Amino acid sequence: MSTRKPRITHGGRVTLTEIAQCVGTSAITVSRAINEPHRVSDELRARIESAIATLGYLPNRAARALASARSDSVAVLIPSLSNTVFTELLEGVRDVLHGHGYRTLIGDTRYSPDEEESLIRAYLEHSPDGVLITGFDQTEATKQLLSTSRVPVVHMMELMDSTTYAVGLQQYDAGLAMTSHLLSRGYRRIGFLGAQLDPRVMQRLAGYRAALNAANCNYPAGEILDATPSSIGLGVHLLDRLLKQAPDCDALFCCNDDLALGVLFECQRRGIRVPQQLAVAGFNDLAASAWVSPTLTTIATPRYEIGHAAAAMLLQLMKHELPDPTVLDLGFAVVVREST
Amino acid sequence: MSTRKPRITHGGRVTLTEIAQCVGTSAITVSRAINEPHRVSDELRARIESAIATLGYLPNRAARALASARSDSVAVLIPSLSNTVFTELLEGVRDVLHGHGYRTLIGDTRYSPDEEESLIRAYLEHSPDGVLITGFDQTEATKQLLSTSRVPVVHMMELMDSTTYAVGLQQYDAGLAMTSHLLSRGYRRIGFLGAQLDPRVMQRLAGYRAALNAANCNYPAGEILDATPSSIGLGVHLLDRLLKQAPDCDALFCCNDDLALGVLFECQRRGIRVPQQLAVAGFNDLAASAWVSPTLTTIATPRYEIGHAAAAMLLQLMKHELPDPTVLDLGFAVVVREST
DNA sequence: TTGTAGGCGTTATCAG
DNA sequence: CTGATAACGCCTACAA
């Protein structure tokens, strides 16, 4: 005969069964009162709810996930937490998903596909109902993991062919548009400052090159590329490199506003007049860009909206509906200000 | 007799039992090979690991959490994701906890104790092994939830008496120190710009008032308080209000660098010379502050280190060790630059 | 070093 | 509308 004492592992937490005993009903009925209130009589439901409140019952998500094979959670992977571009993305995601009862498992990859793979592996153990991921530069193993798990996945920020779900903008087009703007202003020796060198930066660079090429204004000396993470301080440093390498440069397209702000601050320090001596353009339209002196010409990107729409698309996929369109281009805007 | 067909809910995922069958051993041995490799013979472990790799097994966290009553996850609550002060905190937390096998459940409260309560409730359902939370302005219900659940909790950013665990700095002292710096520079009509008005801002304000009072320099006309979330644009706006309300103000202590940057930009636009006509000081030492012209005098706060140390303290508590000290003051530094 | 038995808290299934 | 039963995948306890 068994003399084992039952394990008590739930840390003293009240369980469904205890609520049931307290009310004089069964666990499954309490479960229904919580998840499908309309299927339980008003009288019983009222007593259950009061017991839940007085006993301080909290559902156990692990048990629920195990029994139902749904976790009500979505994994969201972004390259960096310390870049407001991506935290705004997260806010759009959160505003949609929280309203539908999902939790977000946030992971930042530090711009590393290997780190991303490790995070995906870790988060798949939680059986997320969906995955939101930034860009398309996943490792083969990551792609394999995602497809094997059959989790619906929506990519953010960039766009690809219609074999994947994505919400974003054409980074290449945006790079091209900004360069065209500078050309239309009459600048001809247009440099490019690139940091981090993630895929989106490289696409902007390609757009920049294409625009210059089409205008017969190739200017290779004006390209400064540095894989270091972007920052204002790096912008200061790269401007120094540029001025040595291409002193006749008359306009500078920075791959993002952080670099551009650093450039503006350093120009001010060195007494370089912007835009008269050097025009400066950025990318992303961060909060500071509209207020700095001179105000910064940049590309406005709809980060919040991208997160919002990507979450909405994922919501459809999780309901086994087919989103239409499957690839959503939310565009960008060239915001012309004083610096060009 | 029962003719029920077994449920297949795991989404086709390989299970521990299937690995065991494949290798010709039992599930528990496979479990050991994963969690306590040294307790399984080399030969068997090798075969198990190879089976895991070829079958692409991923542990089911829900099942593990349910059976072991540990979730290997820590809930981390911050007021805002779009404020780099808190994302740097998160990076410190992450660097410690990930190395110890914990996942972080990140939640942003939007500076609302009610939202915080709702997040705590939601995250407690996941049975986190620990909680990191910002500040001490929790609702009574939040405190109740946390104490009932017996989860170890470490507070970040602020300090309190030794009845709670905390890592942070004395916000009051920092506000006082900056104001003393301005007084020592000879400024006598020192204003204060406050936004958001969260507890930390109010503590800085109290320090500011105490310093002025001690120097017989009370200057109520110079206080502008606005509960709107902080931003550069708000700094621009509040400077306008200040100049109307207290035109003789000679120095301005902004509750954070965002406001201060807005003030600097607007001063530049209006041709107000800083610091000759108006000295400007901020708080937090954000990335831009060292590069803007003039460079910004501010209080440097060790966010990353706070996150790091708070996570380390929580780690101890989760191991049922008593941290020493239980309240860790990581201090601050007055960073004097050109703007004062 | 390996295995057996049973339970963790919840929900799906089927029955009343 | 309510309930009995089993199952989800894994781990603790105990045994061999």
Side-chain angles (χ1 to χ4, degrees), chain B residues 25-49:
Chain B
T25 180
S26 64
I28 185 62
T29 302
V30 178
S31 172
R32 287 200 191 100
I34 294 171
N35 299 311
E36 306 166 288
H38 61 282
R39 300 198 19 160
V40 175
S41 69
D42 291 352
E43 188 271 338
L44 190 51
R45 178 157 35 78
R47 278 166 50 216
I48 289 173
E49 281 166 359

PDB file of all heavy atoms in Angstrom, chain B residues 25-49:
ATOM      1  N   THR B  25      15.280   3.803 -23.655  1.00  0.00           N
ATOM      2  CA  THR B  25      15.440   4.016 -22.214  1.00  0.00           C
ATOM      3  C   THR B  25      14.151   4.644 -21.691  1.00  0.00           C
ATOM      4  O   THR B  25      13.134   4.609 -22.370  1.00  0.00           O
ATOM      5  CB  THR B  25      16.668   4.900 -21.911  1.00  0.00           C
ATOM      6  OG1 THR B  25      16.782   5.085 -20.514  1.00  0.00           O
ATOM      7  CG2 THR B  25      16.548   6.248 -22.594  1.00  0.00           C
ATOM      8  N   SER B  26      14.200   5.206 -20.499  1.00  0.00           N
ATOM      9  CA  SER B  26      12.978   5.774 -19.946  1.00  0.00           C
ATOM     10  C   SER B  26      13.007   7.297 -19.992  1.00  0.00           C
ATOM     11  O   SER B  26      14.078   7.913 -20.091  1.00  0.00           O
ATOM     12  CB  SER B  26      12.819   5.330 -18.498  1.00  0.00           C
ATOM     13  OG  SER B  26      13.863   5.856 -17.733  1.00  0.00           O
ATOM     14  N   ALA B  27      11.845   7.876 -19.905  1.00  0.00           N
ATOM     15  CA  ALA B  27      11.724   9.329 -19.996  1.00  0.00           C
ATOM     16  C   ALA B  27      12.557  10.027 -18.932  1.00  0.00           C
ATOM     17  O   ALA B  27      13.229  11.013 -19.202  1.00  0.00           O
ATOM     18  CB  ALA B  27      10.265   9.738 -19.869  1.00  0.00           C
ATOM     19  N   ILE B  28      12.531   9.472 -17.734  1.00  0.00           N
ATOM     20  CA  ILE B  28      13.235  10.149 -16.648  1.00  0.00           C
ATOM     21  C   ILE B  28      14.732  10.210 -16.908  1.00  0.00           C
ATOM     22  O   ILE B  28      15.412  11.169 -16.546  1.00  0.00           O
ATOM     23  CB  ILE B  28      12.943   9.445 -15.303  1.00  0.00           C
ATOM     24  CG1 ILE B  28      13.572  10.223 -14.150  1.00  0.00           C
ATOM     25  CG2 ILE B  28      13.420   8.020 -15.317  1.00  0.00           C
ATOM     26  CD1 ILE B  28      13.032  11.616 -13.976  1.00  0.00           C
ATOM     27  N   THR B  29      15.246   9.202 -17.565  1.00  0.00           N
ATOM     28  CA  THR B  29      16.675   9.212 -17.871  1.00  0.00           C
ATOM     29  C   THR B  29      17.001  10.296 -18.898  1.00  0.00           C
ATOM     30  O   THR B  29      18.023  10.983 -18.806  1.00  0.00           O
ATOM     31  CB  THR B  29      17.116   7.837 -18.393  1.00  0.00           C
ATOM     32  OG1 THR B  29      16.808   6.854 -17.413  1.00  0.00           O
ATOM     33  CG2 THR B  29      18.605   7.821 -18.681  1.00  0.00           C
ATOM     34  N   VAL B  30      16.116  10.452 -19.849  1.00  0.00           N
ATOM     35  CA  VAL B  30      16.319  11.527 -20.820  1.00  0.00           C
ATOM     36  C   VAL B  30      16.248  12.871 -20.103  1.00  0.00           C
ATOM     37  O   VAL B  30      17.059  13.765 -20.331  1.00  0.00           O
ATOM     38  CB  VAL B  30      15.261  11.461 -21.935  1.00  0.00           C
ATOM     39  CG1 VAL B  30      15.462  12.609 -22.917  1.00  0.00           C
ATOM     40  CG2 VAL B  30      15.315  10.125 -22.648  1.00  0.00           C
ATOM     41  N   SER B  31      15.298  12.996 -19.205  1.00  0.00           N
ATOM     42  CA  SER B  31      15.164  14.219 -18.419  1.00  0.00           C
ATOM     43  C   SER B  31      16.468  14.500 -17.679  1.00  0.00           C
ATOM     44  O   SER B  31      16.966  15.628 -17.674  1.00  0.00           O
ATOM     45  CB  SER B  31      14.015  14.058 -17.430  1.00  0.00           C
ATOM     46  OG  SER B  31      13.987  15.145 -16.536  1.00  0.00           O
ATOM     47  N   ARG B  32      17.029  13.459 -17.091  1.00  0.00           N
ATOM     48  CA  ARG B  32      18.298  13.636 -16.377  1.00  0.00           C
ATOM     49  C   ARG B  32      19.417  14.018 -17.332  1.00  0.00           C
ATOM     50  O   ARG B  32      20.251  14.871 -17.007  1.00  0.00           O
ATOM     51  CB  ARG B  32      18.664  12.348 -15.648  1.00  0.00           C
ATOM     52  CG  ARG B  32      17.805  12.104 -14.428  1.00  0.00           C
ATOM     53  CD  ARG B  32      18.489  11.139 -13.473  1.00  0.00           C
ATOM     54  NE  ARG B  32      17.551  10.720 -12.429  1.00  0.00           N
ATOM     55  CZ  ARG B  32      16.909   9.559 -12.444  1.00  0.00           C
ATOM     56  NH1 ARG B  32      17.124   8.689 -13.419  1.00  0.00           N
ATOM     57  NH2 ARG B  32      16.075   9.259 -11.475  1.00  0.00           N
ATOM     58  N   ALA B  33      19.449  13.389 -18.453  1.00  0.00           N
ATOM     59  CA  ALA B  33      20.517  13.694 -19.413  1.00  0.00           C
ATOM     60  C   ALA B  33      20.504  15.178 -19.763  1.00  0.00           C
ATOM     61  O   ALA B  33      21.538  15.779 -20.039  1.00  0.00           O
ATOM     62  CB  ALA B  33      20.352  12.857 -20.670  1.00  0.00           C
ATOM     63  N   ILE B  34      19.303  15.761 -19.720  1.00  0.00           N
ATOM     64  CA  ILE B  34      19.194  17.186 -20.044  1.00  0.00           C
ATOM     65  C   ILE B  34      19.527  18.059 -18.836  1.00  0.00           C
ATOM     66  O   ILE B  34      20.287  19.010 -18.942  1.00  0.00           O
ATOM     67  CB  ILE B  34      17.759  17.503 -20.528  1.00  0.00           C
ATOM     68  CG1 ILE B  34      17.493  16.808 -21.856  1.00  0.00           C
ATOM     69  CG2 ILE B  34      17.551  19.010 -20.645  1.00  0.00           C
ATOM     70  CD1 ILE B  34      16.045  16.872 -22.298  1.00  0.00           C
ATOM     71  N   ASN B  35      18.958  17.704 -17.694  1.00  0.00           N
ATOM     72  CA  ASN B  35      19.062  18.598 -16.540  1.00  0.00           C
ATOM     73  C   ASN B  35      20.236  18.297 -15.604  1.00  0.00           C
ATOM     74  O   ASN B  35      20.706  19.194 -14.916  1.00  0.00           O
ATOM     75  CB  ASN B  35      17.760  18.557 -15.740  1.00  0.00           C
ATOM     76  CG  ASN B  35      16.581  19.026 -16.569  1.00  0.00           C
ATOM     77  OD1 ASN B  35      16.640  20.069 -17.198  1.00  0.00           O
ATOM     78  ND2 ASN B  35      15.525  18.222 -16.606  1.00  0.00           N
ATOM     79  N   GLU B  36      20.657  17.048 -15.570  1.00  0.00           N
ATOM     80  CA  GLU B  36      21.789  16.690 -14.706  1.00  0.00           C
ATOM     81  C   GLU B  36      22.680  15.700 -15.455  1.00  0.00           C
ATOM     82  O   GLU B  36      22.767  14.533 -15.075  1.00  0.00           O
ATOM     83  CB  GLU B  36      21.286  16.036 -13.420  1.00  0.00           C
ATOM     84  CG  GLU B  36      20.254  16.847 -12.668  1.00  0.00           C
ATOM     85  CD  GLU B  36      19.563  16.009 -11.604  1.00  0.00           C
ATOM     86  OE1 GLU B  36      18.748  15.121 -11.977  1.00  0.00           O
ATOM     87  OE2 GLU B  36      19.854  16.217 -10.420  1.00  0.00           O
ATOM     88  N   PRO B  37      23.320  16.184 -16.497  1.00  0.00           N
ATOM     89  CA  PRO B  37      24.068  15.305 -17.426  1.00  0.00           C
ATOM     90  C   PRO B  37      25.037  14.363 -16.711  1.00  0.00           C
ATOM     91  O   PRO B  37      25.205  13.220 -17.125  1.00  0.00           O
ATOM     92  CB  PRO B  37      24.838  16.304 -18.298  1.00  0.00           C
ATOM     93  CG  PRO B  37      24.085  17.581 -18.179  1.00  0.00           C
ATOM     94  CD  PRO B  37      23.469  17.589 -16.815  1.00  0.00           C
ATOM     95  N   HIS B  38      25.636  14.832 -15.629  1.00  0.00           N
ATOM     96  CA  HIS B  38      26.642  14.022 -14.950  1.00  0.00           C
ATOM     97  C   HIS B  38      26.053  12.774 -14.308  1.00  0.00           C
ATOM     98  O   HIS B  38      26.770  11.866 -13.922  1.00  0.00           O
ATOM     99  CB  HIS B  38      27.339  14.864 -13.882  1.00  0.00           C
ATOM    100  CG  HIS B  38      26.407  15.359 -12.825  1.00  0.00           C
ATOM    101  ND1 HIS B  38      25.552  16.435 -13.027  1.00  0.00           N
ATOM    102  CD2 HIS B  38      26.162  14.911 -11.578  1.00  0.00           C
ATOM    103  CE1 HIS B  38      24.839  16.623 -11.931  1.00  0.00           C
ATOM    104  NE2 HIS B  38      25.176  15.718 -11.037  1.00  0.00           N
ATOM    105  N   ARG B  39      24.741  12.763 -14.162  1.00  0.00           N
ATOM    106  CA  ARG B  39      24.123  11.607 -13.517  1.00  0.00           C
ATOM    107  C   ARG B  39      23.728  10.509 -14.491  1.00  0.00           C
ATOM    108  O   ARG B  39      23.051   9.559 -14.117  1.00  0.00           O
ATOM    109  CB  ARG B  39      22.897  12.046 -12.721  1.00  0.00           C
ATOM    110  CG  ARG B  39      23.239  13.064 -11.629  1.00  0.00           C
ATOM    111  CD  ARG B  39      22.164  13.151 -10.606  1.00  0.00           C
ATOM    112  NE  ARG B  39      21.278  11.985 -10.608  1.00  0.00           N
ATOM    113  CZ  ARG B  39      20.515  11.642  -9.607  1.00  0.00           C
ATOM    114  NH1 ARG B  39      20.537  12.366  -8.519  1.00  0.00           N
ATOM    115  NH2 ARG B  39      19.727  10.596  -9.699  1.00  0.00           N
ATOM    116  N   VAL B  40      24.109  10.682 -15.755  1.00  0.00           N
ATOM    117  CA  VAL B  40      23.793   9.664 -16.754  1.00  0.00           C
ATOM    118  C   VAL B  40      25.103   9.198 -17.393  1.00  0.00           C
ATOM    119  O   VAL B  40      26.004  10.002 -17.621  1.00  0.00           O
ATOM    120  CB  VAL B  40      22.861  10.246 -17.826  1.00  0.00           C
ATOM    121  CG1 VAL B  40      22.624   9.238 -18.946  1.00  0.00           C
ATOM    122  CG2 VAL B  40      21.547  10.679 -17.196  1.00  0.00           C
ATOM    123  N   SER B  41      25.195   7.917 -17.644  1.00  0.00           N
ATOM    124  CA  SER B  41      26.447   7.385 -18.190  1.00  0.00           C
ATOM    125  C   SER B  41      26.778   8.035 -19.531  1.00  0.00           C
ATOM    126  O   SER B  41      25.888   8.373 -20.302  1.00  0.00           O
ATOM    127  CB  SER B  41      26.335   5.872 -18.388  1.00  0.00           C
ATOM    128  OG  SER B  41      25.433   5.588 -19.429  1.00  0.00           O
ATOM    129  N   ASP B  42      28.065   8.154 -19.779  1.00  0.00           N
ATOM    130  CA  ASP B  42      28.505   8.851 -20.985  1.00  0.00           C
ATOM    131  C   ASP B  42      27.894   8.247 -22.244  1.00  0.00           C
ATOM    132  O   ASP B  42      27.423   8.965 -23.124  1.00  0.00           O
ATOM    133  CB  ASP B  42      30.038   8.792 -21.097  1.00  0.00           C
ATOM    134  CG  ASP B  42      30.695   9.630 -20.009  1.00  0.00           C
ATOM    135  OD1 ASP B  42      29.950  10.347 -19.307  1.00  0.00           O
ATOM    136  OD2 ASP B  42      31.924   9.569 -19.872  1.00  0.00           O
ATOM    137  N   GLU B  43      27.919   6.929 -22.278  1.00  0.00           N
ATOM    138  CA  GLU B  43      27.453   6.250 -23.486  1.00  0.00           C
ATOM    139  C   GLU B  43      25.979   6.566 -23.746  1.00  0.00           C
ATOM    140  O   GLU B  43      25.595   7.000 -24.828  1.00  0.00           O
ATOM    141  CB  GLU B  43      27.695   4.741 -23.303  1.00  0.00           C
ATOM    142  CG  GLU B  43      27.433   3.916 -24.546  1.00  0.00           C
ATOM    143  CD  GLU B  43      25.994   3.454 -24.653  1.00  0.00           C
ATOM    144  OE1 GLU B  43      25.290   3.392 -23.610  1.00  0.00           O
ATOM    145  OE2 GLU B  43      25.560   3.180 -25.780  1.00  0.00           O
ATOM    146  N   LEU B  44      25.184   6.382 -22.728  1.00  0.00           N
ATOM    147  CA  LEU B  44      23.747   6.616 -22.870  1.00  0.00           C
ATOM    148  C   LEU B  44      23.473   8.086 -23.180  1.00  0.00           C
ATOM    149  O   LEU B  44      22.662   8.414 -24.052  1.00  0.00           O
ATOM    150  CB  LEU B  44      23.045   6.210 -21.573  1.00  0.00           C
ATOM    151  CG  LEU B  44      21.513   6.156 -21.613  1.00  0.00           C
ATOM    152  CD1 LEU B  44      21.040   5.333 -22.798  1.00  0.00           C
ATOM    153  CD2 LEU B  44      20.977   5.572 -20.315  1.00  0.00           C
ATOM    154  N   ARG B  45      24.161   8.949 -22.483  1.00  0.00           N
ATOM    155  CA  ARG B  45      23.946  10.381 -22.692  1.00  0.00           C
ATOM    156  C   ARG B  45      24.241  10.777 -24.139  1.00  0.00           C
ATOM    157  O   ARG B  45      23.506  11.539 -24.752  1.00  0.00           O
ATOM    158  CB  ARG B  45      24.826  11.191 -21.737  1.00  0.00           C
ATOM    159  CG  ARG B  45      24.705  12.692 -21.926  1.00  0.00           C
ATOM    160  CD  ARG B  45      25.099  13.456 -20.682  1.00  0.00           C
ATOM    161  NE  ARG B  45      26.193  12.831 -19.951  1.00  0.00           N
ATOM    162  CZ  ARG B  45      27.472  12.908 -20.302  1.00  0.00           C
ATOM    163  NH1 ARG B  45      27.814  13.604 -21.365  1.00  0.00           N
ATOM    164  NH2 ARG B  45      28.392  12.300 -19.588  1.00  0.00           N
ATOM    165  N   ALA B  46      25.302  10.213 -24.679  1.00  0.00           N
ATOM    166  CA  ALA B  46      25.658  10.519 -26.063  1.00  0.00           C
ATOM    167  C   ALA B  46      24.527  10.106 -27.000  1.00  0.00           C
ATOM    168  O   ALA B  46      24.119  10.872 -27.885  1.00  0.00           O
ATOM    169  CB  ALA B  46      26.951   9.808 -26.447  1.00  0.00           C
ATOM    170  N   ARG B  47      23.992   8.925 -26.776  1.00  0.00           N
ATOM    171  CA  ARG B  47      22.908   8.464 -27.659  1.00  0.00           C
ATOM    172  C   ARG B  47      21.672   9.340 -27.488  1.00  0.00           C
ATOM    173  O   ARG B  47      20.974   9.651 -28.447  1.00  0.00           O
ATOM    174  CB  ARG B  47      22.604   6.997 -27.352  1.00  0.00           C
ATOM    175  CG  ARG B  47      23.579   6.044 -28.055  1.00  0.00           C
ATOM    176  CD  ARG B  47      23.511   4.633 -27.507  1.00  0.00           C
ATOM    177  NE  ARG B  47      22.147   4.117 -27.431  1.00  0.00           N
ATOM    178  CZ  ARG B  47      21.705   3.328 -26.460  1.00  0.00           C
ATOM    179  NH1 ARG B  47      22.524   2.969 -25.480  1.00  0.00           N
ATOM    180  NH2 ARG B  47      20.460   2.912 -26.452  1.00  0.00           N
ATOM    181  N   ILE B  48      21.405   9.716 -26.256  1.00  0.00           N
ATOM    182  CA  ILE B  48      20.247  10.578 -26.003  1.00  0.00           C
ATOM    183  C   ILE B  48      20.422  11.923 -26.700  1.00  0.00           C
ATOM    184  O   ILE B  48      19.521  12.414 -27.383  1.00  0.00           O
ATOM    185  CB  ILE B  48      20.055  10.788 -24.482  1.00  0.00           C
ATOM    186  CG1 ILE B  48      19.547   9.486 -23.852  1.00  0.00           C
ATOM    187  CG2 ILE B  48      19.081  11.920 -24.213  1.00  0.00           C
ATOM    188  CD1 ILE B  48      19.486   9.531 -22.330  1.00  0.00           C
ATOM    189  N   GLU B  49      21.615  12.481 -26.549  1.00  0.00           N
ATOM    190  CA  GLU B  49      21.838  13.794 -27.154  1.00  0.00           C
ATOM    191  C   GLU B  49      21.721  13.731 -28.669  1.00  0.00           C
ATOM    192  O   GLU B  49      21.204  14.661 -29.302  1.00  0.00           O
ATOM    193  CB  GLU B  49      23.226  14.325 -26.743  1.00  0.00           C
ATOM    194  CG  GLU B  49      23.202  14.912 -25.336  1.00  0.00           C
ATOM    195  CD  GLU B  49      24.595  15.138 -24.771  1.00  0.00           C
ATOM    196  OE1 GLU B  49      25.577  14.814 -25.473  1.00  0.00           O
ATOM    197  OE2 GLU B  49      24.692  15.637 -23.635  1.00  0.00           O
TER     198      GLU B  49
END
